[in-house]
Amino acid sequence: MHASGTADHYDVLVVGGGAAGSAAAWQLTKRGHRVCLLERFAPGHRAGSSHGRSRLLRLTYTDPLYVHMATEALRMWHRLESESGSDLISTVGAVDGGRAERLEQAAAALTGAGADFKVVTEHQARSRWPQLALPGDVLFHPDAARVDPDATLPALQGLAARSGCRILYNTPVTALETHADGVRARTPAGTFTAPVAVVTVGPWTSRLLDGLVTLPELTVTQEQVFHLPRRDPDAAWPAFSFQHEDGRIVYGMPTADEGVKVAEHLGGRVVDPETRDGIVDAAARGRVLAFAAERLPGLEPVVSTETTCLYTSTADEDFLLDRVGPLVVGTACSGHGFKFTPLLGRMLADLAEGGTEPHPRFRLPSPAPADRS
C-alpha cells in the first residue's frame, strides 16, 4: 500500500490486461516507455474475452479494411512468435460457405488485398473435405490459422515485463480521473498516475469511462462455444464458417486437444459482466448440434465440453480505437478482434504516443452539443 497522498508515476498506464491491453503494454515498453499494466483479475482468469485455447485467424472478410488488417496481423503474429519463443499459431486453412453474395464480396476483398484464396465447387469440396457438407461453392484460403489465447497473454506480458513493464494482477481500477497533467487511476493497492492511459477493459468499458468520454451503445453478450468429438481422430480439419440466408453465422476450427470447436457468431444473450451466470444457453446448444448433424458429418453430434465468454460489440461491429485527451480507448472488438491482437497493440501504442490519428472508422462519437436553451 502507498502512503496516504502518494502515487506511483509512469509514462503510460494500461488499464486491462486482456489481449489488446497486453499487446499495447508490450509495444509501449518495447519503445522505451515506463509502463504499468493494471489487471483486475488473476492470471489465466475466465471472466472476460481473452481466454481459451483457440481463436480463428482468417482473412475472409467482405470489408477490405479488415482483410488488409488481418493480413498485417498475420505477419505480426509470426514476429511475436519469434520474439517470445512461444508456439501461438497453427496454420489450418479456412473454408467459407453460405450466402453467395457474401462469398462474392469476400472474394473481391481478398483479391484487392492480394491474399491467397480460391473458389472450390461443392463437388470438389466434398471430395477434399468429406467431414464437411456445406452446400454450394466455397472459398478456401490456406493461410488461416488457429491462435492460442492462453499462450498469447503470457507471451505478450512476458515480453513486456522483460522490457521493464510493471504488471499488477488483482488490482481493479475503482476510479479513473483525468486532470491537467494526465490520468489518475485509483485502486485498492494505491494510486497510479501518468500523462496518458490506455483503457482496454472490454465489457467494463462503459462502467469505467462513464462521464469521461462519449461512447456509442456497447452491447455485452455472453457467448458460448462447444467442442464436438471427431469421428476420425486423424482427419485433417480446416477451419470453417457458414452464413445462413437469415444472416446467422456458424463457425468452427480444429483444436489441439478438444476435437472441433463449433459456435455461433453473436448468438448469445445480453448480460451484465458483473452478474453473468456462465450458464450455456440450451437453445444455442441445440442449434449448434442441429447444424453439426446436418453439415458436419465428420463430427459426433454430441458436446464433449462447453464454455462461455463475453463479447463487447458496437452496432456495426467496428472496433473503437481512439484518443480523447489523455485517454486512449481500445474496445468493442465485437467478437472478431483476437486475430488482430499484435496489430491492435501497435495501433493503441501509436495513439498513446500521440503521433497518429485514429482511423475514421474507429473513432468515438463526438460529444453532444451543450443545450443552450
Side-chain angles (χ1 to χ4, degrees):
M1 296 290 288
H2 300 292
S4 177
T6 66
D8 279 0
H9 188 73
Y10 295 87
D11 298 335
V12 186
L13 298 178
V14 178
V15 183
S22 298
W26 165 54
Q27 286 283 333
L28 287 161
T29 53
K30 187 178 178 181
R31 300 178 191 187
H33 297 286
R34 188 165 179 261
V35 179
C36 182
L37 173 60
L38 302 171
E39 167 55 47
R40 67 178 291 174
F41 297 109
H45 72 87
R46 296 296 193 254
S49 307
S50 299
H51 58 85
R53 296 297 311 281
S54 55
R55 293 289 192 280
L56 180 55
L57 197 173
R58 65 190 184 96
L59 310 182
T60 44
Y61 281 87
T62 60
D63 188 329
L65 170 62
Y66 285 109
V67 176
H68 284 282
M69 287 177 61
T71 301
E72 175 62 13
L74 180 59
R75 288 192 286 266
M76 293 187 71
W77 276 107
H78 288 297
R79 291 200 294 270
L80 174 58
E81 274 199 318
S82 177
E83 287 191 38
S84 67
S86 302
D87 293 328
L88 304 177
I89 63 175
S90 302
T91 301
V92 295
V95 173
D96 287 82
R99 292 179 58 196
E101 180 183 12
R102 173 179 175 249
L103 297 183
E104 290 169 4
Q105 293 172 346
L110 289 164
T111 298
D116 184 11
F117 80 98
K118 61 181 177 180
V119 177
V120 181
T121 68
E122 181 175 355
H123 175 74
Q124 292 170 330
R126 296 286 181 98
S127 176
R128 181 170 180 179
W129 303 289
Q131 62 269 49
L132 300 176
L134 304 182
D137 294 349
V138 299
L139 294 183
F140 174 70
H141 82 85
D143 295 327
R146 180 184 67 239
V147 183
D148 186 341
D150 283 351
T152 297
L153 265 64
L156 288 167
Q157 293 174 10
L159 286 170
R162 287 198 289 275
S163 295
C165 181
R166 183 183 183 191
I167 302 176
L168 297 178
Y169 302 105
N170 298 307
T171 307
V173 173
T174 54
L176 197 61
E177 304 162 359
T178 58
H179 53 86
D181 296 324
V183 181
R184 182 182 299 112
R186 299 191 184 277
T187 80
T191 301
F192 301 83
T193 64
V196 61
V198 178
V199 182
T200 50
V201 294
W204 291 271
T205 299
S206 297
R207 186 167 306 186
L208 185 60
L209 294 180
D210 182 35
L212 295 174
V213 301
T214 301
L215 293 167
E217 182 178 358
L218 300 179
T219 302
V220 178
T221 53
Q222 180 173 267
E223 304 295 327
Q224 41 264 309
V225 298
F226 306 92
H227 296 96
L228 281 63
R230 311 180 197 198
R231 294 186 188 276
D232 178 1
D234 298 322
W237 278 77
F240 59 88
S241 174
F242 182 84
Q243 185 177 46
H244 295 273
E245 288 301 319
D246 62 6
R248 290 183 301 116
I249 295 176
V250 179
Y251 68 94
M253 71 201 77
T255 68
D257 53 10
E258 296 180 290
V260 174
K261 171 183 172 179
V262 187
E264 295 177 311
H265 176 63
L266 289 173
R269 57 186 174 85
V270 175
V271 296
D272 182 321
E274 295 289 345
T275 59
R276 59 175 293 202
D277 56 18
I279 298 174
V280 170
D281 178 57
R285 184 192 301 114
R287 291 192 298 271
V288 164
L289 289 176
F291 179 83
E294 180 181 11
R295 298 297 179 192
L296 305 175
L299 297 180
E300 298 284 354
V302 296
V303 173
S304 54
T305 61
E306 58 189 18
T307 190
T308 65
C309 66
L310 296 179
Y311 281 9
T312 306
S313 304
T314 56
D316 59 8
E317 297 184 37
D318 270 347
F319 305 156
L320 295 177
L321 304 167
D322 200 356
R323 178 167 179 167
V324 178
L327 295 175
V328 175
V329 180
T331 191
C333 286
S334 302
H336 65 113
F338 199 93
K339 67 176 69 65
F340 301 104
T341 292
L343 177 60
L344 293 179
R346 188 178 77 190
M347 295 170 75
L348 292 168
D350 289 344
L351 290 172
E353 290 186 324
T356 302
E357 286 294 312
H359 191 284
R361 289 269 296 275
F362 302 147
R363 281 188 176 274
L364 293 164
S366 299
D371 185 358
R372 300 184 183 274
S373 59

